[in-house]
């Protein structure tokens, strides 16, 4: 049933189940359904790595979902692959000590 659905319809269907949020849907789409164009904007490591990569400030409310989608436009239709690179980058970012 889910295999033939669009990414948006899969997300809408899964989020309607109590306890499942957008991050879980994104991981399901990427790893179970192997969808190539998923950008998990709710993933903290991806947010931090994208800020580092694009040299934009990271904050509690920034970047927004819309800002991340805009930054990742060049990665379409392979944003899932770019996400894997962002996770790797996130593992190499060190905090600056003051």
């Amino acid at each position: 049933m889910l295999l033939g659905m669009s990414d948006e319809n899969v997300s809408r269907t899964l989020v309607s189940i109590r306890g499942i949020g957008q991050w879980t849907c994104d991981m399901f789409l990427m790893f179970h359904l192997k969808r190539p164009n998923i950008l998990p904007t709710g993933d903290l490591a991806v947010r931090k790595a994208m800020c580092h990569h694009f040299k934009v400030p990271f904050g509690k409310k920034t970047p927004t979902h819309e800002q991340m989608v805009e930054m990742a436009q060049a990665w379409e239709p392979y944003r899932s692959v770019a996400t894997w690179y962002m996770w790797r980058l996130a593992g190499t970012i060190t905090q600056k000590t003051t």
Side-chain angles (χ1 to χ4, degrees):
M1 176 180 159
L2 295 176
L3 285 174
M5 296 171 71
S6 70
D7 297 343
E8 294 79 21
N9 286 337
V10 171
S11 290
R12 199 173 303 119
T13 299
L14 293 177
V15 167
S16 69
I17 300 168
R18 184 174 177 246
I20 295 181
Q22 189 58 50
W23 183 88
T24 303
C25 292
D26 291 341
M27 297 304 114
F28 182 79
L29 286 163
M30 286 177 66
F31 294 110
H32 184 70
L33 297 181
K34 303 202 183 331
R35 300 290 174 95
N37 197 31
I38 304 302
L39 180 67
T41 59
D43 189 284
L44 183 60
V46 173
R47 288 180 61 220
K48 285 183 178 181
M50 285 183 71
C51 286
H52 182 78
H53 177 72
F54 289 103
K55 296 177 178 35
V56 297
F58 174 78
K60 190 171 187 170
K61 296 186 181 198
T62 58
T64 65
H65 168 79
E66 292 78 16
Q67 290 169 327
M68 290 178 70
V69 169
E70 186 177 326
M71 287 187 278
Q73 280 181 339
W75 299 339
E76 290 192 71
Y78 303 107
R79 295 184 302 178
S80 295
V81 174
T83 295
W84 299 331
Y85 281 104
M86 291 298 105
W87 280 323
R88 291 290 292 186
L89 176 61
T92 65
I93 298 171
T94 57
Q95 289 185 357
K96 294 179 182 176
T97 55
T98 55

